[in-house]
Each structure stands twice: as structure tokens, then as C-alpha cells.
Amino acid sequence: MKSYIDIWKHSFDFRGSLARRPFWTYVSITLWLYIGVAAIDVFVLNQIAPFPFLLTAIFSAVNFIPGLSAMVRRLHDTSRSGWWLLVMLFPVVGQILMITYLVQRTTAEDEYDNRGIGSVEVDDDFDPEEVYGKEFWNVEEEPAPEDGEEGEAL
């Protein structure tokens, strides 16, 4: 749920990248919400609304920019430009190609700075003892056996 909210917070940010898990979490939550809104439209508002599927149309319009932004950043995570979204204008083949691009693994860092939502970024001045406490790092290790001695059998 945190990744869904993070994507909404970065709705107008088309820079950076987006890892697979947060992207597909966003897609699945949006899909379930869309099904719920469509069901409300069909079973409740269809009788009283002046325009059929009015609530579904509003939901789609509100989700257009965040979805577009998420797809562009997901393409950046696979080392592709956001302009590859235009391939979806070609019926069937474009959608199949886009899905194959969106499910691919993260590629190495490149010009898109693959450190977006869903990735771990550590500052240069990160001090684990300051964050986790000194006790966390004080692990007593057994001394290694010296040459000629055998270690304890497992």
C-alpha cells in the first residue's frame, strides 16, 4: 500500500525509475478499485446518473496522469525511453510489446538514474551504528582456527 501512495505522491514526476514490485502493486490496486467503481456505476448509479458510467469515466481521468507517470518510470527502469509508450498506439502488437517491456527485470544503472521508488538508496555518510545502535553490530565471533588446527566439526 505504501508503494501505491508513493506513486500518487510522484504523479507528475516523469524522471527516475520505478521497480517492478511497486509498479505492479499500483496496477493491481488500481484494477481492483476500477472494478469496484464500475460495479457501483452498473448496479447503483446506472439508474440515476444522466451519463452512463460517469463515475468510471471520472475515476479513469483521475488515474490517467499517475498511471502514465508510473509507466514512463517503469520503462526507465528497463533502460527504455518513455517515448516507447507510443508503441501502444498499434493495436494488439503494441499492447503485447508494452507488457513484455513492463514485466522485464531492472537493468543496470544508466542515464535514467535507476534509483526511484522501490529501490534502496544509501547516502555516502550513512552510519549503521547511528541508525541501528551499537549493540546491533557487536556480534561475538569465534576465532578462526590457526594453521594446523582443525575447526569444530558440524
Side-chain angles (χ1 to χ4, degrees):
M1 189 67 171
K2 181 185 179 308
S3 57
Y4 182 78
I5 294 169
D6 284 344
I7 288 174
W8 271 95
K9 287 179 183 176
H10 295 95
S11 292
F12 295 98
D13 183 13
F14 290 84
R15 293 169 292 137
S17 62
L18 183 63
R20 272 194 307 184
R21 178 169 282 175
F23 175 76
W24 289 108
T25 300
Y26 169 79
V27 168
S28 62
I29 290 173
T30 302
L31 179 65
W32 283 108
L33 288 174
Y34 186 83
I35 290 169
V37 167
I40 291 171
D41 250 353
V42 169
F43 296 116
V44 178
L45 298 178
N46 196 20
Q47 306 301 323
I48 57 175
F51 176 69
F53 297 105
L54 176 65
L55 194 59
T56 306
I58 292 170
F59 182 79
S60 297
V62 167
N63 279 292
F64 179 74
I65 296 295
L68 186 67
S69 159
M71 288 175 62
V72 166
R73 287 184 280 129
R74 179 70 199 121
L75 285 171
H76 288 173
D77 199 47
T78 62
S79 296
R80 288 184 179 79
S81 168
W83 290 105
W84 273 98
L85 281 176
L86 294 177
V87 80
M88 289 186 10
L89 295 174
F90 297 103
V92 183
V93 174
Q95 287 79 19
I96 292 171
L97 187 62
M98 186 53 56
I99 289 173
T100 59
Y101 288 162
L102 294 174
V103 299
Q104 289 179 349
R105 292 178 180 257
T106 300
T107 57
E109 288 191 30
D110 57 11
E111 71 267 16
Y112 297 111
D113 188 23
N114 287 336
R115 289 179 285 145
I117 297 173
S119 62
V120 177
E121 188 171 338
V122 178
D123 295 332
D124 293 334
D125 60 344
F126 176 73
D127 183 17
E129 286 184 2
E130 181 181 317
V131 175
Y132 299 110
K134 208 165 197 157
E135 300 80 31
F136 183 80
W137 298 101
N138 286 340
V139 179
E140 293 183 23
E141 295 182 13
E142 294 182 24
E146 294 184 21
D147 291 337
E149 291 183 16
E150 292 185 27
E152 187 177 319
L154 296 176

